[in-house]
Amino acid sequence: MKILLVEDEEFNLMVIEEMIGIFYPDANITTATNGQIAYEILQTKSFNLILSDINMPILDGYGLIKKIREDLRLQTPTVAVTAFAIQGDKEKTLLAGFDGYISKPIDMGELEVVLDKYLTNKNSAES
């Protein structure tokens, strides 16, 4: 399975990659440090799941999900992973086009549920 992890903080990238590896050690994880880089990757590669931060430089998560859904017309499951955890943020991300939401700091159980939900189906991603 292929996962695109979009996160501008290097430490968070490392931690989230390690967490994913606990549940899916064979996952092929591609990383991007902002939404623009992720958008460029998505023009040539497909993934089973996209995990994206919201607050990033150059192109934030909301801009990225708009480009994923409108420009690229991709239906790839995309989950917001964000430190924004005030009331209404989850709803805002879902209305913007995200399929799910995980708040930081990431709870291992919550991450496992999200990964299982989107990675245990029969979807396949082509390179």
Side-chain angles (χ1 to χ4, degrees):
M1 73 235 16
K2 297 178 183 178
I3 300 170
L4 176 60
L5 176 57
V6 190
E7 168 65 59
D8 63 318
E9 296 290 333
E10 190 171 328
F11 178 77
N12 290 343
L13 271 176
M14 182 180 65
V15 169
I16 297 169
E17 278 186 281
E18 287 182 20
M19 293 172 83
I20 293 168
I22 291 169
F23 301 115
Y24 288 88
D26 295 331
N28 180 346
I29 303 170
T30 300
T31 61
T33 54
N34 65 59
Q36 183 60 40
I37 294 169
Y39 177 67
E40 291 167 9
I41 291 169
L42 287 164
Q43 291 178 39
T44 61
K45 294 183 179 180
S46 59
F47 297 88
N48 301 98
L49 177 64
I50 302 166
L51 299 173
S52 178
D53 189 16
I54 294 294
N55 189 19
M56 299 179 288
I58 303 174
L59 181 64
D60 69 7
Y62 291 115
L64 175 60
I65 194 66
K66 184 174 181 178
K67 286 181 169 284
I68 288 171
R69 300 296 189 232
E70 295 178 10
D71 296 354
L72 299 175
R73 302 212 181 276
L74 297 177
Q75 295 306 312
T76 306
T78 305
V79 176
V81 182
T82 180
F84 295 136
I86 61 172
Q87 188 172 1
D89 283 334
K90 180 177 183 177
E91 293 76 14
K92 183 178 177 184
T93 61
L94 297 175
L95 285 172
F98 285 93
D99 298 290
Y101 173 94
I102 299 175
S103 62
K104 295 177 191 172
I106 296 174
D107 176 81
M108 288 289 288
E110 187 179 7
L111 178 62
E112 182 179 22
V113 167
V114 166
L115 293 174
D116 287 348
K117 179 178 181 178
Y118 296 109
L119 297 178
T120 56
N121 61 26
K122 301 300 179 193
N123 291 345
S124 64
E126 301 296 325
S127 294

